[in-house]
């Protein structure tokens, strides 16, 4: 019967012999020696194998060999990675679409020679180009058909824009309604020409007022008005002035959750106005082209100022001035989401910067208050469209 310790020694010797058969250990030799059951295995090895130095040298050689083997394996793994990456690149270049099989071609298989598939890939590319050209040709033909249909529709006198018809009808009805109301109540005779307000009840793309006069070329200006609104989100566009080639030449707008802004030649300055409380507020904005300096007054008090707002850009003449809508094109292109909802009165424009005292007189309805020398607030200067209404202005009466 072989003892457990003898089996341990036998297994250890077999393991070392196995390593020696797979690696080149030079002149090293391994000797199998039996050890009695009651003797320490390490002591017996030291006693029967010769000097301790030989055994120590053998152990060091084994350790060095193992380290070299590990390093070799790591280098081989890196080489395998590089070869795998190169193989993947070659396969991706040789396969037109690795995700699907195109008609008339086949997917490339790993490990097979693909040199014979080059001409087939070129043929697939030519077929794809031909299909693309055919698709473009069909799209062009469809566009030509649509263009012809649009031309035929525009040439027919019976086909008109429904929105324009609705605006004309509503404008006529509104005008008749106010004429009857004025005749019944006598407001027309008792109300001065400038004591009126415009009311925009709904957020639409057809309710607005148009100033009959255009603006001259201006190197500075002051624009003032009374506003009353509680619209949310954003009270919209109290006024917009567009010129050929620039729809945002001069615009006052509060859109969405943004603060009120003044736009000059599409350049923007944020204004510190807080007026969406359903009460009348007087606002004034001054601007000069030199350095683009601007000031913002609310209820006669300076609330904010700045500079570099479209500096050295004069306000261009021969434009269209609209109240209640933002223009995307000259005199039109209205967007309901940007429409003004509320009441507006005493809209005046000067071609100079008013003093703080002059602005205070306007906000307090002082009898010495000036009227605009470019645009003055008068009923005969404004045309109303789409259901916007005119009523007697009450804000100054409440202040006085």
């Amino acid at each position: 019967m072989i003892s457990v310790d003898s089996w341990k020694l036998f297994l250890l010797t077999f393991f070392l012999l196995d390593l020696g058969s797979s690696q080149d250990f030079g002149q090293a030799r391994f000797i199998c020696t039996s050890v009695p059951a009651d003797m320490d295995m390490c002591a017996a090895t030291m006693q029967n194998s010769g000097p301790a130095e030989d055994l120590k040298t053998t152990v060091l050689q084994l350790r060095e060999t193992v380290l070299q083997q590990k390093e070799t394996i790591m280098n081989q793994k890196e080489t395998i990675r590089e070869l795998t990456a190169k193989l993947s690149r070659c396969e991706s270049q040789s396969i037109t679409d690795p995700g699907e099989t195109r008609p008339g071609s086949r997917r490339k298989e790993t490990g097979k020679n693909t040199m014979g598939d080059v001409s087939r890939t070129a043929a697939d590319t030519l077929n794809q180009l031909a299909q693309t050209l055919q698709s473009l040709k069909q799209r062009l033909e469809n566009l030509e058909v649509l263009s012809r249909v649009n031309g035929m529709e525009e040439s027919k006198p019976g086909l008109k824009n429904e929105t324009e018809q609705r605006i004309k009808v509503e404008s006529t009805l509104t005008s008749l309604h106010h004429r009857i109301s004025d005749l019944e109540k006598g407001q027309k005779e008792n109300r001065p020409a400038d004591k009126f307000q415009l009311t925009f009840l709904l957020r639409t793309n057809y309710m607005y007022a148009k100033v009959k006069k255009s603006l001259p070329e201006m190197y500075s200006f002051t624009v003032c008005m009374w506003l009353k609104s509680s619209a949310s989100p954003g009270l919209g566009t109290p006024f917009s002035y567009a010129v050929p080639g620039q729809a945002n030449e001069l615009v006052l707008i509060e859109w969405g959750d943004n603060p009120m802004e003044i736009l000059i030649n599409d350049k923007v300055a944020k204004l510190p106005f807080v007026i969406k409380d359903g009460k009348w507020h007087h606002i004034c904005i001054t601007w000069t082209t030199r350095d683009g300096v601007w000031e913002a007054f609310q209820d006669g008090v300076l609330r904010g100022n700045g500079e570099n707002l479209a500096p050295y850009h004069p306000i261009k003449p021969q434009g269209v001035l609209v109240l209640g809508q933002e223009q995307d094109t000259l005199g039109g292109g209205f967007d309901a989401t940007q429409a003004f909802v509320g009441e507006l009165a005493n809209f005046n424009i000067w071609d100079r910067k008013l003093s703080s005292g002059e602005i205070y007189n306007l906000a307090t309805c002082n009898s010495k208050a000036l009227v605009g020398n470019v645009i003055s607030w008068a009923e005969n200067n404004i045309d109303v469209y789409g259901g916007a209404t005119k009523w007697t202005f009450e804000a100054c009466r409440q202040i006085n």
Side-chain angles (χ1 to χ4, degrees):
M1 176 85 49
I2 301 175
S3 65
V4 175
D5 292 335
S6 298
W7 273 110
K8 288 182 180 179
L9 178 60
F10 175 76
L11 291 176
L12 176 61
T13 305
F14 178 79
F15 174 72
L16 293 176
L17 286 172
D18 184 61
L19 279 177
S21 63
S22 60
Q23 302 293 334
D24 183 13
F25 295 114
Q27 300 300 323
R29 292 182 302 169
F30 300 94
I31 302 173
C32 181
T33 305
S34 60
V35 180
D38 56 347
M39 182 179 291
D40 182 64
M41 184 173 62
C42 292
T45 305
M46 293 290 293
Q47 181 179 359
N48 298 328
S49 300
E53 280 299 322
D54 293 341
L55 182 59
K56 184 177 181 181
T57 302
T58 302
V59 172
L60 291 177
Q61 289 178 352
L62 286 173
R63 183 178 297 175
E64 183 178 357
T65 302
V66 171
L67 291 176
Q68 291 176 354
Q69 180 69 8
K70 289 177 64 177
E71 184 177 357
T72 302
I73 292 174
M74 295 300 296
N75 292 336
Q76 289 176 351
K77 285 184 177 180
E78 187 64 28
T79 303
I80 290 172
R81 291 195 192 97
E82 292 178 359
L83 291 175
T84 303
K86 291 179 180 180
L87 181 60
S88 300
R89 286 197 296 269
C90 291
E91 289 178 347
S92 62
Q93 292 175 359
S94 62
I95 299 176
T96 303
D97 187 356
E100 61 184 14
T101 303
R102 297 183 180 275
S105 65
R106 62 180 178 83
R107 293 184 59 179
K108 308 299 182 294
E109 297 178 357
T110 304
K112 292 187 178 182
N113 184 12
T114 59
M115 294 301 292
D117 294 326
V118 175
S119 60
R120 186 171 298 178
T121 302
D124 291 340
T125 304
L126 291 175
N127 291 334
Q128 185 178 2
L129 288 174
Q131 293 175 2
T132 304
L133 291 174
Q134 183 65 25
S135 176
L136 290 174
K137 183 179 179 181
Q138 292 177 356
R139 291 179 63 184
L140 288 174
E141 290 175 354
N142 293 335
L143 289 174
E144 290 177 358
V145 171
L146 289 175
S147 178
R148 291 174 185 174
V149 171
N150 291 334
M152 293 175 63
E153 290 179 348
E154 292 175 358
S155 63
K156 293 181 180 180
L159 296 176
K160 295 183 179 179
N161 190 290
E162 294 181 1
T163 302
E164 293 180 356
Q165 290 182 347
R166 182 176 57 187
I167 290 174
K168 290 180 180 179
V169 171
E170 291 180 352
S171 179
T172 302
L173 291 175
T174 301
S175 178
L176 290 173
H177 170 76
H178 285 293
R179 287 182 64 185
I180 294 173
S181 179
D182 288 337
L183 289 173
E184 290 177 347
K185 298 181 180 180
Q187 289 184 351
K188 192 76 173 181
E189 292 77 9
N190 298 330
R191 184 177 70 202
D194 62 337
K195 302 301 181 183
F196 74 100
Q197 68 186 48
L198 295 178
T199 301
F200 304 90
L201 295 174
L202 302 174
R203 200 181 294 275
T204 71
N205 63 348
Y206 55 84
M207 188 180 294
Y208 67 102
K210 182 179 178 181
V211 180
K212 295 180 181 180
K213 294 177 59 179
S214 181
L215 299 181
E217 185 176 58
M218 296 188 298
Y219 293 86
S220 62
F221 68 77
T222 300
V223 56
C224 298
M225 71 201 78
W226 284 89
L227 292 177
K228 179 182 178 181
S229 180
S230 57
S232 180
L235 57 83
T237 308
F239 79 91
S240 64
Y241 176 67
V243 297
Q246 178 54 274
N248 295 325
E249 183 67 9
L250 178 58
V251 182
L252 181 66
I253 186 172
E254 184 182 83
W255 187 26
D257 295 326
N258 300 314
M260 184 169 283
E261 299 173 337
I262 183 76
L263 281 72
I264 299 177
N265 191 32
D266 229 1
K267 306 301 185 295
V268 182
K270 298 184 183 301
L271 304 177
F273 293 146
V274 181
I275 57 179
K276 292 193 301 182
D277 56 2
K279 299 179 181 179
W280 282 106
H281 292 281
H282 187 264
I283 64 170
C284 280
I285 303 159
T286 69
W287 173 85
T288 58
T289 185
R290 182 172 181 177
D291 296 329
V293 177
W294 60 270
E295 294 177 334
F297 293 81
Q298 179 176 328
D299 299 326
V301 178
L302 178 65
R303 294 295 181 91
N305 55 49
E307 59 183 12
N308 201 33
L309 174 59
Y312 304 102
H313 171 82
I315 302 300
K316 296 179 181 178
Q318 305 303 318
V320 177
L321 181 57
V322 170
L323 304 178
Q325 294 284 352
E326 194 273 334
Q327 305 173 67
D328 287 336
T329 59
L330 188 64
F334 303 147
D335 184 349
T337 63
Q338 298 175 327
F340 174 70
V341 179
E343 296 168 281
L344 184 151
N346 282 20
F347 180 85
N348 290 274
I349 297 180
W350 295 260
D351 59 0
R352 64 180 180 88
K353 177 183 176 181
L354 296 187
S355 66
S356 58
E358 291 172 324
I359 292 174
Y360 182 80
N361 288 338
L362 289 167
T364 56
C365 298
N366 193 300
S367 59
K368 298 180 181 179
L370 303 173
V371 296
N373 67 331
V374 174
I375 299 294
S376 60
W377 187 245
E379 285 196 66
N380 57 358
N381 289 341
I382 296 174
D383 291 329
V384 178
Y385 300 91
T389 58
K390 294 181 181 180
W391 302 99
T392 301
F393 181 53
E394 301 290 345
C396 282
R397 183 182 298 179
Q398 293 173 6
I399 293 176
N400 294 331

